[in-house]
Amino acid sequence: QVQLVESGGGSVQAGGSLRLSCAASGNTTIRRVCMGWIRQVPGKEREGFLSIDSLSRNTAYADSVKGRFTISLDNAKNMLYLQMNRLEAEDTAMYYCAAKPTSYGGCLIVAEVPLYPYLGHGTQVTVSP
């Protein structure tokens, strides 16, 4: 089992920045994981928009966040981060981190992040125009 806890959400004006964190704990025998970020607006499907391979550190970004958001991983601290710059009102959503143990990779399809088996409880991000 893997437990994920997000933090860092809040309210910000358009153009501002926020940094989300995700603390992972649980099964310490897992050697390699795909990790990613999902967001969801009420009434809409969850959207996977960022992912990272814990071994290769390769990343994948959805077009909607490319150039504005950055994903990073600190394996020593079991922490996943999401740096969000130039926020827009359309970024308002509940943000979740997600994880999927893997033996081969396969972490670079952001549309699959909502299907990862481990999900945090989320942190709200609200961007005012």
Side-chain angles (χ1 to χ4, degrees):
Q1 289 290 327
V2 175
Q3 291 79 43
L4 303 171
V5 179
E6 303 91 340
S7 61
S11 297
V12 65
Q13 287 191 322
S17 299
L18 279 174
R19 187 192 195 208
L20 305 186
S21 299
C22 173
S25 61
N27 190 338
T28 58
T29 65
I30 296 174
R31 300 290 184 182
R32 186 177 191 178
V33 291
C34 301
M35 296 197 76
W37 289 95
I38 300 164
R39 60 187 180 183
Q40 187 171 26
V41 176
K44 293 191 176 181
E45 296 286 326
R46 287 178 177 169
E47 174 198 10
F49 60 93
L50 278 173
S51 62
I52 187 168
D53 182 320
S54 69
L55 183 62
S56 69
R57 301 303 182 99
N58 289 333
T59 58
Y61 293 76
D63 289 343
S64 58
V65 304
K66 200 171 292 183
R68 300 188 300 123
F69 291 9
T70 304
I71 189 172
S72 60
L73 184 64
D74 186 333
N75 283 347
K77 296 181 180 179
N78 292 328
M79 293 293 295
L80 179 72
Y81 302 102
L82 173 61
Q83 178 65 45
M84 304 186 291
N85 298 326
R86 297 183 357 239
L87 282 159
E88 303 168 354
E90 292 75 20
D91 296 316
T92 295
M94 184 70 80
Y95 284 70
Y96 303 85
C97 65
K100 178 185 77 171
T102 180
S103 59
Y104 67 94
C107 304
L108 302 183
I109 302 176
V110 293
E112 293 183 350
V113 179
L115 303 177
Y116 288 3
Y118 300 107
L119 192 69
H121 292 292
T123 186
Q124 178 68 35
V125 171
T126 302
V127 185
S128 55

